[in-house]
Amino acid sequence: MTTAAIVDTRPRTLAEKVWDKHLVAKGENGTPDLIYIDLHLVHEVTSPQAFDGLRLAGRPVRRPDLTIATEDHNTPTLAIDRPIADLTSRTQIETLRKNCAEFGVRLHSLGDIEQGIVHVVGPQLGLTQPGITVVCGDSHTSTHGAFGAMALGIGTSEVEHVMATQTLPLKPFKTMAITVDGTLRPGVTAKDIILAVIAKIGTGGGQGYVLEYRGSAIRALSMEGRMTICNMSIEAGARAGMVAPDATTYAYLKGRAHAPAGDDWDAAVEYWDTLATDDGATFDAEVILDANTLEPFVTWGTNPGQGVSLSDTVPNPAEIDDANERSAAERALEYMDLAAGTAMKDIHVDTVFLGSCTNSRVEDLRAAAEIIKGKSIADGVRMLVVPGSARVRIEAEAEGLDKIFTDFGAEWRFAGCSMCLGMNPDQLAPGERCASTSNRNFEGRQGKGGRTHLVSPLVAAATAIRGTLSSPWDLVQDGIVPAGLVPASL
Amino acid sequence: MQKFTTVTGVAVPLRRSNVDTDQIIPAVFLKRVTKTGFEDALFYGWRQDPEFILNQAAYQSPKVLVAGADFGTGSSREHAVWALRDFGFDVVLSPRFGDIFRGNAGKQGLLAAQISEDDAETLWATLEATPGIELTVDLVAYTASVGDLTVSFEVDEYTRWRLLEGLDDIGLTLRDEARIAEFESQREPWRPRTLPARQVNL
Ligand code: SF4
């Protein structure tokens, strides 16, 4: 390896700029680059063996001041003051607590205001910032790319590597531009953009790439919307997703606990302003999507690429040319118990899940609450609302959202991953069908035999009212809500 | 990781091929939160049989495993290597290894060295003739010797170098410690820090 010295004036992409800035040593003859890591997020599931490895080798956590931990995957969302019933879950959490105490890592435990899903906690503390490198032993680390950070999910051996060295040996990625121009129609959201992108490029389409989301429709999105999009980059197989920082990013960050302040803020903004992809920089691949024509999008199958517009029908596998995709579609329809040609809007659900690192921020909850306010849940449907963090829960309660949800007939829970993956008791029963704002509709993901349709928070809300997969516009048509109430974008 | 030059210890003739990682350590043990203490899980299924070779008196503290071809195929679980290490093994000799297993082994200081099918046979015969006999593996000379018998083995050069130097992935990166420290000294002061915790009220 040679010492990093980047004196390159060629136009560069956002991803390349962040990479170059973090080069500790450049790899030679096929060896990887050594990349510095600014922020390491830790949770209970993927960290125990990493801490154990440090202990065995007698190594400390090199930079506890760049490391932060929270409890999320295993935490209960009811009765959080009682001991966790499941022994494996309890052991994982207790192990994290012991390890953080031993190695001097800051931990936000169950009951703490900053406890919550690791990808909600980083941004809300202002730790996730433009131009930094972020890693976490979790694939949805890509969420943090919404700030113009290079955010990578890593495995347990790499977690240990970062703990010990604050660096990672990495080979450079290819870059893909995803340009979404136009204006979203009311009721269409960031979630619909990303579901449409994945349906377009496929679950493997992003493999080996860092995706950069660009274009006027992306610029118009809030930080929450950008996080939703970057979050699901991994579902397209990408290593990371990014959005260049702008005034929206700065407004979100300013005043947060760990955001720079005073002169530091000015210095930071000056740097952040240099991050956007240069004119004339080239991407290895490009994808274009028209926001003007986009409709609410939902999945019918068992991977996030198996989706259609909500006004569409369940596709007929016989019409799929690619043999692998055809048989995957056949298997998916069997698992989902769906017949080709069924209108998506005729599909009844048993459960609605509003939560997960994709859609559990206060903005998501607010948008859903606006739709369901003063109405009641469809007969036989249960709805779980799980805020992404304890702070989100408190903020939502301060606005009275909890009351709106409980009056409607939904359950208002404590923060965590919950039914996104059902490591805690929040699971689907076999055969149960769910409209879920999470990011994975894999077989059994939300509980053995459970059937998942991925949807936006607005579709989740409308579905809870009608009992069938629905958009807010269906409510307008039914005369349930006035057209003016359909949120402009999210 | 300790530097690895020679290892001398009891060698176990495991006359089985296609030993996949599920047989090395069944999935139920993957729920544990530690990286050590997997010795009880090693070959869990087979060890229920009192006749299994690792249950025999001569093989209670072995260091070298001589296995058949395609050792460590199947899932990528690193636990397979941890379990072998925890049991006391420093070396596995086999005519062929699963790729991921061999990579994981190198990271954890377990030498996975390739011998010919014929040499595996000869080694098994020699080891079985004198149960509990010690074998010496010399990584510098690429040889495994027991009694009068010496066979040679192959190992990937990069892994061999790392084992000889006692470097795991982290150790390797830490050789660049000076550069990491230099990089750190130049980071902008406003970059985010998790400590001390700063509170802002709602
Ligand atoms: S909410 Fe779901 S996707 Fe997000 S970190 Fe938790 S388990 Fe993973």
Side-chain angles (χ1 to χ4, degrees), chain A residues 71 75-76 80-82 84 93 97 108-112 115 415:
Chain A
E71 303 166 356
T75 53
I80 60 167
D81 50 342
R82 286 213 292 274
I84 297 173
I93 294 216
R97 290 177 185 174
H108 293 292
S109 276
L110 200 55
D112 179 316
Q115 177 268 337

Side-chain angles (χ1 to χ4, degrees), chain A residues 72-73 117-119 138-140 231 356-358 416-418 420-421 438-440 445:
Chain A
D72 53 9
H73 285 65
I117 307 173
V118 66
H119 310 308
D138 189 282
S139 54
H140 293 96
N231 173 277
S356 91
C357 56
T358 316
C417 294
S418 179
C420 175
L421 87 168
S438 58
N439 46 43
R440 283 190 175 150
R445 165 91 175 177

Side-chain angles (χ1 to χ4, degrees), chain B residues 12-202:
Chain B
V12 182
L14 184 69
R15 274 192 187 265
R16 301 191 193 217
S17 53
N18 281 304
V19 177
D20 63 39
T21 50
D22 257 284
Q23 290 167 303
I24 300 174
I25 181 169
V28 301
F29 295 102
L30 309 191
K31 280 192 180 174
R32 291 189 181 169
V33 292
T34 55
K35 201 169 174 173
T36 53
F38 285 96
E39 58 277 0
D40 59 330
L42 181 70
F43 299 127
Y44 186 81
W46 294 342
R47 275 164 71 199
Q48 305 314 304
D49 170 9
E51 297 295 306
F52 179 59
I53 191 154
L54 286 183
N55 290 331
Q56 297 172 17
Y59 299 108
Q60 287 317 294
S61 312
K63 286 201 166 164
V64 180
L65 186 69
V66 185
D70 294 317
F71 187 87
T73 50
S75 99
S76 66
R77 63 192 68 163
E78 265 181 61
H79 304 68
V81 176
W82 302 341
L84 286 159
R85 294 294 280 146
D86 291 344
F87 201 86
F89 286 107
D90 291 322
V91 183
V92 182
L93 300 173
S94 159
R96 202 162 48 228
F97 290 95
D99 261 347
I100 301 176
F101 174 86
R102 202 179 38 203
N104 289 342
K107 283 186 190 169
Q108 305 292 335
L110 177 74
L111 172 63
Q114 200 169 334
I115 52 177
S116 71
E117 298 257 7
D118 289 347
D119 285 343
E121 273 298 336
T122 331
L123 280 174
W124 283 336
T126 310
L127 296 174
E128 284 161 359
T130 320
I133 191 173
E134 295 200 337
L135 179 148
T136 296
V137 170
D138 184 337
L139 185 55
V140 180
Y142 301 93
T143 55
S145 325
V146 51
D148 297 337
L149 174 70
T150 295
V151 305
S152 58
F153 58 75
E154 285 176 30
V155 57
D156 140 77
E157 273 313 303
Y158 181 63
T159 306
R160 174 172 177 264
W161 170 73
R162 289 201 325 185
L163 288 169
L164 287 173
E165 296 287 320
L167 292 169
D168 54 13
D169 266 7
I170 293 174
L172 208 58
T173 296
L174 286 175
R175 283 168 49 127
D176 269 328
E177 215 279 328
R179 279 197 200 140
I180 299 173
E182 155 87 12
F183 184 95
E184 285 176 328
S185 72
Q186 294 179 7
R187 292 176 78 236
E188 295 88 346
W190 45 259
R191 290 210 171 242
R193 276 171 204 271
T194 59
L195 295 172
R198 284 187 247 155
Q199 280 303 324
V200 249
N201 295 325
L202 289 166

